Amino acid sequence: MQNMNISSHLPFRQVHLDFHTSEAIPGIGSAFRPDEWARTLREAHVNSVTCFSCCHHGWSYHPTRVGAMHPHLGFNLLRAQIDAAHACGIRVPVYLTAGNNQRLAMEHPEWREITPDGRYMGWAPTPLSAGFSKLCLNSGYLEVLRALCEETVELFPDADGIFLDIICQGQCCCPGCVTDMLREGFDPESEADRIRFARRTLLNYYRVITAACRKFNPDMPVFHNSGHIPRGDREILPYFSHLELESLPTGGWGYDHFPVSAAYCRKLPFEFIGMTGKFHSTWGEFGGYKHPDALRYECMAMLANGARCSIGDQLHPDARLDESTYRAIGQAYAEVEAKEAWCIGAESAADIAVLSNSAFHRESTESAAETGCARILQEGHLPFDLLDQEMDFSGYGLVILPDDIRCDAALAGRLTGYLERGGKLLLSGTSGLAADKDAYSFDTGVEYQGVSGFNPAYLQMDKAFAPEWLTSPLVLYGAPGKLRAAAGERWLGKVLNPYFQRSYRHFSSHQHTPFSPAPTGLCGGVIRDNLAVLAFPVFSIYRERGQIALKEFLLKTIDALLGGRRQIRCTGLPAEGRLTLMRQPERERTVLHLLYAPKVLKGGGKHQVEVIEELPPAPPVTVELRTGFRPARLRLEPAGTELAFSQTGESIRFTVPAFSCHQMVVAYRRETK
């Protein structure tokens, strides 16, 4: 069966339609009507919907020789969904659970993943708790999963891709893993060996299952979902056809997660999707709805960051699409459809590079330092990209090493050459120190004498870098490095110590000891023409504490370092506003994205969520943008409204009228209709 009018590129308007459905529920698929299904998707401007072959409960939604069809499903639901969608040009990738399969976990408890302390892994803390069980990918389960994948692509050769979920492997100590570890020379009692064996198991999964999905079609798109795209892990990328950035702001990720993840993924050679959810909270919330304005903002943020859009939904057991959900999706996707022409083939035009701490330290999640750095730059309206150790930073105007990126000889050499060619560099905390000793790996004009014994300590900022409203020392909740600056260096500030470190032996007041006015001779940071070095791990501190005074200090430092080469400057955009700068090389145009939506904390305790419930207009924004060319015209798109601008050298100046949620400003190199 041929798909009609379906592009080979990733669609912009996708729905990820969860269908994890218990065997205790009757009437599966009883309300499915092909015409209604297709009409609902079309009216919601959806052009791709991911549907289920096999769910976390272990049930298949079609006849199967390998698995087990849901006991209360009387027809081939997946085939009906694919046929109805394809008939109107809507793509259908197919979902299979991988890490979870509750039916098989109950039938084969020997396939379950076991922690080193003897607990079963999974979402249920006890045998009497509700939740899915995690299966070991080094057990007999892998062969069943392989067969399920092969059967699915054989039964549904017209599937538009395979989505595999819950791709992870812990330090499993099930009998099979322990036996294999001993046979292969790993020590099960060593955590390092258990981690290495888990990695070996995971890579074997990628090889086996990707090959199974492509058994009949070597070009079958495949994505393996682990809820996060690990930075710097190039070894797994050959098993992906594209990337999907799962990031539900109200589901625990927050509104800062997706822009940081996208800032890394857009530098990889993949098309990628941002994935949010229609839920008020997270996956599997029946009857939960976020405000349509929130869904609109989240989709616009995806476009602004170079991603296609995907909205997560959960299908009711009767297989009828929810009216309220698709009305909200339709409002967001109508706007996406109108704007996607200015997003096709877009790449980042940012002039600031942040080296990723999690990539350098091989961590599976974001670090506080890189998250804090990203927040500073976003709130300061400075476009940036996030790079791993293999990416080239030579073309950026500023490179930031946040807090704890030490340099081996190769990185030190790259940074030295970058500085010699006129690049700007910002180091904080222990970043820039040699990998094997406590000394800077290249000339910084600063002597490092170890970490201070005081935490917190105080920063007396130089007046030029302090907020206008602050002249007193600022407490910073992190131990500074003891920096001695050479004579003639420009200090950003000086470090003051408390009278003593708080302990049970001596303490003062409720929290920490006040600063002593006695000079320490330690600088809080220095700045040269092309280099700034900061004593404190400022970005981790900002991530944890959110001190506005520290943000203003850092933005002034960055501004002074960039000097007249700052790429963009906005006046009037609130701190909650966001911007990105993208270019479409094939269309010879540069696109400035402006976003604005206030976020509010709702709920309490573990149910506290950051929400958007209204989209008040942003005020007019005056922009100075270094384009490097004189635009033939400047427009607000997709309205086509012409904007007046003035030009000085490589920069243009213009004012964007008040807008709601999202505005694209497009600079065209050539005249266009």
Side-chain angles (χ1 to χ4, degrees):
M1 184 174 298
Q2 297 297 314
N3 303 357
M4 297 174 56
N5 303 317
I6 293 176
S7 166
S8 60
H9 294 285
L10 287 179
F12 271 86
R13 291 165 274 120
Q14 304 195 32
V15 166
H16 185 95
L17 190 57
D18 261 13
F19 198 47
H20 303 292
T21 309
S22 168
E23 63 279 2
I25 296 177
I28 305 304
S30 58
F32 180 81
R33 303 291 182 270
D35 291 346
E36 180 184 60
W37 165 269
R39 183 177 64 254
T40 301
L41 294 173
R42 282 199 316 272
E43 290 177 353
H45 301 267
V46 173
N47 59 2
S48 179
V49 56
T50 300
C51 296
F52 271 43
S53 169
C54 184
C55 74
H56 287 343
H57 288 279
W59 301 115
S60 295
Y61 295 92
H62 54 81
T64 171
R65 303 179 306 275
V66 178
M69 193 161 108
H70 195 290
H72 302 299
L73 175 65
F75 67 104
N76 191 331
L77 176 60
L78 179 56
R79 169 47 63 202
Q81 290 171 325
I82 292 175
D83 289 349
H86 279 180
C88 55
I90 297 172
R91 297 178 70 170
V92 186
V94 171
Y95 174 105
L96 291 102
T97 188
N100 297 333
N101 186 310
Q102 196 65 16
R103 179 181 65 83
L104 290 177
M106 296 299 100
E107 292 178 5
H108 295 276
E110 72 277 12
W111 292 351
R112 293 179 65 177
E113 192 173 312
I114 298 176
T115 66
D117 61 358
R119 293 178 294 107
Y120 280 130
M121 279 293 293
W123 300 356
T126 72
L128 299 181
S129 302
F132 299 115
S133 304
K134 176 68 176 63
L135 289 167
C136 174
L137 298 174
N138 188 54
S139 69
Y141 169 64
L142 186 67
E143 174 59 23
V144 177
L145 179 59
R146 181 198 61 76
L148 277 171
C149 292
E150 288 187 359
E151 180 188 55
T152 299
V153 293
E154 182 180 12
L155 291 174
F156 304 98
D158 51 342
D160 295 293
I162 298 295
F163 183 106
L164 295 137
D165 205 7
I166 316 298
I167 313 306
C168 57
Q169 177 75 9
Q171 300 177 43
C172 183
C173 289
C174 72
C177 282
V178 171
T179 298
D180 288 350
M181 276 191 269
L182 292 171
R183 186 179 67 250
E184 297 176 26
F186 295 87
D187 180 2
E189 297 184 69
S190 163
E191 181 177 26
D193 273 18
R194 293 195 302 268
I195 291 172
R196 287 197 303 119
F197 186 79
R199 176 68 175 182
R200 161 265 194 212
T201 297
L202 191 60
L203 290 175
N204 183 59
Y205 156 84
Y206 280 120
R207 286 189 294 268
V208 170
I209 300 305
T210 304
C213 294
R214 292 175 172 161
K215 181 175 181 179
F216 303 104
N217 177 4
D219 297 322
M220 177 66 73
V222 178
F223 177 70
H224 305 267
N225 185 48
S226 57
H228 180 73
I229 305 299
R231 284 153 210 165
D233 190 356
R234 299 300 188 96
E235 197 174 15
I236 66 174
L237 293 181
Y239 303 105
F240 292 74
S241 58
H242 65 283
L243 302 176
E244 304 195 24
L245 281 54
E246 184 180 1
S247 185
L248 282 63
T250 57
W253 284 264
Y255 276 94
D256 283 332
H257 176 268
F258 172 74
V260 182
S261 188
Y264 173 67
C265 289
R266 64 177 170 243
K267 303 305 294 182
L268 295 170
F270 291 95
E271 290 186 339
F272 68 99
I273 302 166
M275 182 189 290
T276 185
K278 68 94 176 186
F279 316 104
H280 170 68
S281 60
T282 192
W283 296 106
E285 183 188 41
F286 288 102
Y289 305 90
K290 66 177 44 159
H291 196 284
D293 282 348
L295 209 54
R296 179 187 171 205
Y297 176 85
E298 290 159 22
C299 289
M300 296 307 106
M302 293 175 202
L303 295 184
N305 283 280
R308 273 72 164 156
C309 306
S310 177
I311 297 172
D313 181 25
Q314 173 120 332
L315 187 63
H316 189 276
D318 68 12
R320 185 175 188 177
L321 295 169
D322 180 75
E323 178 182 355
S324 298
T325 295
Y326 287 84
R327 186 166 56 245
I329 290 175
Q331 291 171 13
Y333 276 177
E335 186 170 357
V336 171
E337 187 172 19
K339 293 179 173 179
E340 61 191 44
W342 289 270
C343 305
I344 295 169
E347 59 186 39
S348 174
D351 196 38
I352 296 176
V354 178
L355 299 195
S356 167
N357 304 73
S358 55
F360 275 78
H361 299 307
R362 296 293 187 181
E363 297 168 340
S364 60
T365 57
E366 291 180 14
S367 76
E370 70 187 47
T371 301
C373 185
R375 287 184 180 177
I376 292 286
L377 295 173
Q378 289 185 86
E379 293 169 18
H381 308 139
L382 292 163
F384 69 97
D385 293 326
L386 190 66
L387 308 187
D388 64 31
Q389 49 272 68
E390 294 187 34
M391 293 176 179
D392 180 19
F393 54 71
S394 61
Y396 291 88
L398 170 64
V399 175
I400 301 175
L401 276 64
D403 294 0
D404 62 358
I405 297 179
R406 288 181 174 248
C407 301
D408 59 17
L411 179 56
R414 291 173 64 195
L415 291 170
T416 299
Y418 171 77
L419 289 169
E420 290 173 348
R421 292 187 297 272
K424 310 284 189 176
L425 183 63
L426 190 153
L427 310 171
S428 61
T430 58
S431 286
L433 297 179
D436 56 354
K437 60 181 178 180
D438 284 346
Y440 285 105
S441 55
F442 51 91
D443 179 25
T444 63
V446 174
E447 180 186 356
Y448 183 82
Q449 298 181 334
V451 180
S452 168
F454 294 102
N455 183 4
Y458 296 82
L459 176 63
Q460 178 66 68
M461 303 172 194
D462 179 85
K463 184 178 180 180
F465 298 94
E468 293 180 0
W469 45 271
L470 181 65
T471 57
S472 303
L474 176 69
V475 64
L476 291 179
Y477 298 91
K482 294 186 287 186
L483 303 186
R484 302 282 182 182
E489 296 288 354
R490 184 182 184 188
W491 286 31
L492 294 164
K494 58 186 179 182
V495 174
L496 295 177
N497 291 329
Y499 285 99
F500 47 79
Q501 182 65 34
R502 183 180 180 92
S503 74
Y504 73 92
R505 296 178 183 273
H506 44 207
F507 63 91
S508 179
S509 192
H510 295 74
Q511 290 196 59
H512 49 259
T513 312
F515 67 88
S516 167
T520 64
L522 301 175
C523 67
V526 298
I527 188 169
R528 294 176 167 183
D529 290 338
N530 62 344
L531 175 67
V533 181
L534 303 175
F536 287 86
V538 287
F539 297 112
S540 300
I541 293 170
Y542 189 71
R543 166 65 179 84
E544 296 302 322
R545 299 283 179 161
Q547 292 167 284
I548 303 304
L550 178 58
K551 176 175 73 172
E552 292 198 21
F553 167 76
L554 288 167
L555 291 174
K556 287 190 173 188
T557 300
I558 291 171
D559 206 36
L561 193 56
L562 288 171
R565 297 295 295 172
R566 178 162 171 160
Q567 184 180 36
I568 188 167
R569 190 182 302 276
C570 286
T571 304
L573 186 63
E576 277 288 329
R578 298 289 183 263
L579 65 80
T580 61
L581 190 65
M582 310 296 285
R583 65 169 66 94
Q584 291 177 292
E586 293 184 3
R587 290 170 167 80
E588 296 188 278
R589 57 198 189 197
T590 297
V591 184
L592 172 66
H593 294 265
L594 300 172
L595 293 156
Y596 177 62
K599 293 92 176 175
V600 181
L601 285 175
K602 299 280 189 179
K606 67 179 182 178
H607 299 295
Q608 190 174 60
V609 295
E610 188 181 34
V611 303
I612 293 170
E613 60 178 325
E614 58 184 354
L615 292 171
V621 179
T622 299
V623 178
E624 294 179 42
L625 174 63
R626 185 160 51 84
T627 59
F629 63 92
R630 178 175 180 80
R633 57 179 39 184
L634 194 69
R635 281 179 169 176
L636 302 179
E637 298 292 8
T641 305
E642 299 282 345
L643 276 188
F645 65 93
S646 60
Q647 180 146 11
T648 304
E650 294 184 333
S651 297
I652 60 174
R653 181 182 175 90
F654 55 91
T655 297
V656 180
F659 67 92
S660 174
C661 185
H662 177 234
Q663 181 63 69
M664 296 187 297
V665 184
V666 184
Y668 293 86
R669 280 184 174 270
R670 301 182 186 277
E671 286 291 343
T672 183
K673 294 181 180 180

